Amino acid sequence: MAFPTCSVAPLSKVQRLYDACDMVFSSATTAGMPMPATLGGIRWLQHLLDGMAAADVGIDDGEKQPASMGGAEPSPKKGVRLLPAHGFTRITYVHIHQSDDFSIGVFCFPAGATLPLHDHPEMVVLSKLLYGSVRVRSYDWVTAPPSSSQRKCGLARVVAADEVRRAPCETSVLFPRGGGNMHAFTAVTPCAILDVITPPYSEEHGRPSTYFNDVPIVSLPGFAFLEEVEMPEDLSVVGAPYLGPRITVDMDDNDDDDYYDEHYDSHDDYDDYTSS
């Protein structure tokens, strides 16, 4: 008896990334409380992110993509519309997914744009530079300020001192108390950074985004004094639509857009990104 043949489309890289994040960040609980991701899980996600390119999340970086060595990921189909890198004239956030456990999104920068020094309270963040070059400045607390303090300040150790990273490079990871939990980005060239954050920012759950001024200590090389400041008035982050492959989401992992809607301006029409 002959059976009809059928072909199964390979999972997109962004779907594989979502599935892995869901497995690493959403599965383990103890007494209803989330458990920290294992180092093995983090390394798995780093490996997946290392293999991703701008086109995998719906962005055209302007570079001709080489043929895939393994052939597992097909090139974007003709007629598929991508966000062009040259269309980002302001810092732009492309929201891909957010739940209570993790978020996935891309920060796109025009050359010269700066995301000021800020922290990631009790978070793990994996960052993949998709294209371009970025200057990174980052710190970790020597002793974390008490949570009861009205304004965070204290001595911090320098992790990266204006370090320039150029794509392609390995995915970086920061932890609650290591890896440069407080960092700032300045785009040397147009660039984009794919971020996986767990758990996401949440003022309700005591994870607000805090900004800092840093003052180097001349008498203590490799250290600086950090002091909390208000969000810079000239900081503007706008939103753009996600045009990459559709993600099939776990039914128990409802996409939470509340933080996204509150903190990023609504995206402009797609044509605003393709008209230039």
Side-chain angles (χ1 to χ4, degrees), residues 6-12 16 72 74 77:
C6 62
S7 59
V8 178
L11 291 178
S12 67
R16 292 200 293 267
K77 297 178 181 178

Side-chain angles (χ1 to χ4, degrees), residues 42-186:
I42 296 297
R43 287 177 174 168
W44 179 31
L45 295 176
Q46 283 182 283
H47 174 72
L48 292 175
L49 285 163
D50 282 343
M52 296 189 69
D56 296 321
V57 288
I59 299 172
D60 179 4
D61 61 8
E63 298 290 334
K64 185 177 180 180
Q65 297 297 321
S68 174
M69 295 296 291
E73 183 76 2
S75 299
K77 297 178 181 178
K78 290 184 178 180
V80 173
R81 308 176 84 185
L82 303 179
L83 293 172
H86 65 75
F88 300 118
T89 58
R90 294 177 288 176
I91 300 176
T92 302
Y93 184 71
V94 180
H95 169 72
I96 299 176
H97 173 79
Q98 179 161 323
S99 66
D100 290 341
D101 298 304
F102 64 93
S103 67
I104 305 173
V106 185
F107 281 96
C108 305
F109 297 79
T114 294
L115 193 59
L117 188 65
H118 60 282
D119 68 351
H120 307 82
E122 301 305 318
M123 301 177 189
V124 174
V125 181
L126 296 100
S127 299
K128 165 63 176 178
L129 183 61
L130 296 173
Y131 63 85
S133 301
V134 65
R135 179 173 287 107
V136 181
R137 190 170 83 256
S138 64
Y139 301 92
D140 285 322
W141 294 115
V142 172
T143 301
S147 57
S148 59
S149 59
Q150 292 185 344
R151 298 184 74 84
K152 296 180 182 178
C153 64
L155 184 66
R157 178 177 58 86
V158 175
V159 176
D162 289 331
E163 174 185 314
V164 176
R165 298 175 185 170
R166 297 177 176 85
C169 59
E170 292 184 350
T171 298
S172 63
V173 57
L174 63 82
F175 298 92
R177 292 166 185 80
N181 185 273
M182 294 157 287
H183 64 201
F185 294 135
T186 298

Side-chain angles (χ1 to χ4, degrees), residues 187-207:
V188 178
T189 67
C191 63
I193 299 171
L194 171 58
D195 272 349
V196 172
I197 301 177
T198 181
Y201 284 109
S202 171
E203 295 186 10
E204 178 184 357
H205 294 94
R207 298 189 302 272

